[in-house]
Amino acid sequence: AVLGMAGAAALQAQVYSVNAVGYINVEAVAGFNLLANQLIATDATVPTLMAGVPEGSIVFKYSEETSYEINILDFGEWGIPTMTLNPGEGFWLQLPPGAPATTITFVGEVPQGSLSTELDAGFNLVSSQVPQAGLVTTDLGLPAEDGDIVFTYSESADPKYGIATYDFGAWDPAEPMVGVGEGFWVQKISAATWDRDFSVN
């Protein structure tokens, strides 16, 4: 009877959710990994998001004002347990030498609506707020002006950094592509806001 009443009440109110909940798996290898959490997590602190990484792992979080915050997993405890990793931020995860490949799983809601990421003049370690692979400007809407530079990174690539400069209204040598769960650097000539309207519907 209680279930029936609850069902009838829900039908009368036409209650529904527009939230899209999912997960992202990214594989981290020994050495440096340039990653991003692109889901709104219930708990976005490093101890929760990085559960399962090996002892000696290090998270580096960057801002133009403070440079790097360095968070080390030592004796099973993170040095900065309150550090958060949110959509729009990129971060480095360094796994110790010889560490096996480790799958990092991010769980949470897909960001939707009007999304904004502030970009400082100078270096920014960022990601798309939306968990979507694509070309940084064409698909993901990153604002670009002549002189901007994007740096992507892969531990297994040679060279490890991919570098593209926006010049005369186009990316040279080619527009950068980033994957889901991937962070990247953008060096901006002037401050800007990376705006995007996104819906899963």
Side-chain angles (χ1 to χ4, degrees):
V2 173
L3 290 174
M5 290 170 61
L11 286 172
Q12 288 175 354
Q14 296 187 6
V15 175
Y16 63 94
S17 173
V18 295
N19 297 336
V21 178
Y23 68 94
I24 300 168
N25 284 333
V26 294
E27 186 174 277
V29 298
F32 287 95
N33 302 266
L34 190 44
L35 305 179
N37 167 32
Q38 296 170 316
L39 298 174
I40 301 169
T42 303
D43 181 356
T45 61
V46 166
T48 297
L49 297 181
M50 297 292 108
V53 300
E55 184 78 7
S57 294
I58 307 173
V59 169
F60 301 84
K61 186 173 176 178
Y62 178 86
S63 74
E64 186 75 11
E65 295 81 16
T66 61
S67 189
Y68 279 111
E69 280 187 280
I70 301 173
N71 200 355
I72 303 172
L73 180 62
D74 193 23
F75 295 103
E77 300 288 338
W78 287 97
I80 311 174
T82 57
M83 178 187 281
T84 56
L85 304 170
N86 294 303
E89 300 172 343
F91 65 92
W92 291 103
L93 172 64
Q94 183 185 14
L95 298 189
T102 301
T103 299
I104 310 296
T105 301
F106 302 113
V107 179
E109 293 182 14
V110 176
Q112 297 187 71
S114 297
L115 308 173
S116 294
T117 301
E118 297 300 320
L119 303 173
D120 296 324
F123 285 97
N124 301 265
L125 185 51
V126 296
S127 74
S128 167
Q129 289 198 42
V130 176
Q132 181 181 31
L135 299 169
V136 291
T137 297
T138 302
D139 299 322
L140 304 179
L142 178 74
E145 62 179 312
D146 284 357
D148 287 354
I149 305 173
V150 163
F151 305 83
T152 56
Y153 182 87
S154 172
E155 183 72 14
S156 58
D158 186 20
K160 295 184 184 300
Y161 272 107
I163 303 173
T165 303
Y166 196 77
D167 204 12
F168 298 104
W171 289 101
D172 181 37
E175 186 173 357
M177 169 80 74
V178 294
V180 174
E182 182 179 350
F184 62 94
W185 289 100
V186 57
Q187 184 181 6
K188 292 288 296 175
I189 291 296
S190 58
T193 303
W194 182 1
D195 293 324
R196 188 167 183 200
D197 289 320
F198 183 76
S199 173
V200 297
N201 298 322

